[in-house]
């Protein structure tokens, strides 16, 4: 509430990031992970999809305007399978929602960030996505997501 003045509080801008779109969690058994979220939190799956190009299957659990993205590889050659060989289950990436994946990708490249995807591509739910390489982002894998 204001204290006698009527101008609105200025919130710091997050620039081109408009929401946390999702948090990606790698699991060995997708059905078991879904059942766990159901049992613990009463959570239900909002969307399930096999993403052939990535060799992964996902189950999205909606949390407000964001998702928990449970992910499991279905082929040994998928990048997620390689990740899990090294790191096991757990936090894999954070998806940041942006208005324009192409614009933000060009900007971060121009600013020297390493990227996995040189160009935006199609993600799940018909989104447009691109991954930044964790090497230049504090060892965290970042996905840009345009709905
Ligand atoms: Co993702």
């Amino acid at each position: 509430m204001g204290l006698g003045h009527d101008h609105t509080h200025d919130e710091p801008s997050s620039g081109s990031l408009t929401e946390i779109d999702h948090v990606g969690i790698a699991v060995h058994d997708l059905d078991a992970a879904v059942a766990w979220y159901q049992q613990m939190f009463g959570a239900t799956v909002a969307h399930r999809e096999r993403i052939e190009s990535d060799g992964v299957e996902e189950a999205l659990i909606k949390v407000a305007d964001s998702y928990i993205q449970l992910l499991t590889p279905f082929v040994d050659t998928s990048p997620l399978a390689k990740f899990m060989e090294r790191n096991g289950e757990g936090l894999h990436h954070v998806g940041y929602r942006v208005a324009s994946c192409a614009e933000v990708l060009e900007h971060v490249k121009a600013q020297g960030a390493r990227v996995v995807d040189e160009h935006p591509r199609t993600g799940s739910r018909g989104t447009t996505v691109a991954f930044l390489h964790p090497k230049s982002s504090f060892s965290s894998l970042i996905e840009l997501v345009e709905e």
Side-chain angles (χ1 to χ4, degrees):
M1 293 299 287
L3 296 170
H5 53 87
D6 57 6
H7 63 266
T8 54
H9 177 70
D10 289 322
E11 298 209 2
S13 169
S14 296
S16 54
L17 308 179
T18 61
E19 296 271 1
I20 302 293
D21 185 82
H22 63 273
V23 174
I25 300 171
V27 302
H28 288 301
D29 184 335
L30 195 57
D31 289 325
V34 165
W36 190 89
Y37 273 88
Q38 165 76 57
Q39 181 188 356
M40 295 299 151
F41 307 117
T44 55
V45 171
H47 181 81
R48 192 156 170 156
E49 186 171 336
R50 225 171 125 96
I51 306 143
E52 297 294 335
S53 56
D54 290 342
V56 302
E57 184 162 355
E58 70 165 24
L60 292 176
I61 290 166
K62 205 157 198 290
V63 181
D65 287 331
S66 304
Y67 297 95
I68 299 162
Q69 180 190 48
L70 302 170
L71 285 167
T72 200
F74 63 78
V75 287
D76 292 342
T77 51
S78 82
L80 184 65
K82 306 274 182 214
F83 171 90
M84 293 180 75
E85 277 170 24
R86 291 192 306 274
N87 304 291
E89 295 184 306
L91 286 177
H92 180 253
H93 69 277
V94 179
Y96 297 138
R97 204 172 295 157
V98 296
S100 168
C101 186
E103 273 181 29
V104 177
L105 184 62
E106 282 315 306
H107 177 75
V108 301
K109 282 164 67 178
Q111 293 299 313
R114 284 182 59 183
V115 295
V116 175
D117 298 303
E118 285 293 334
H119 304 284
R121 60 189 177 86
T122 302
S124 70
R125 292 179 290 136
T127 56
T128 301
V129 303
F131 281 89
L132 276 65
H133 197 285
K135 205 116 199 172
S136 64
S137 51
F138 313 98
S139 298
S140 61
L141 181 59
I142 292 174
E143 178 181 12
L144 304 173
V145 184
E146 176 185 341
E147 292 200 299

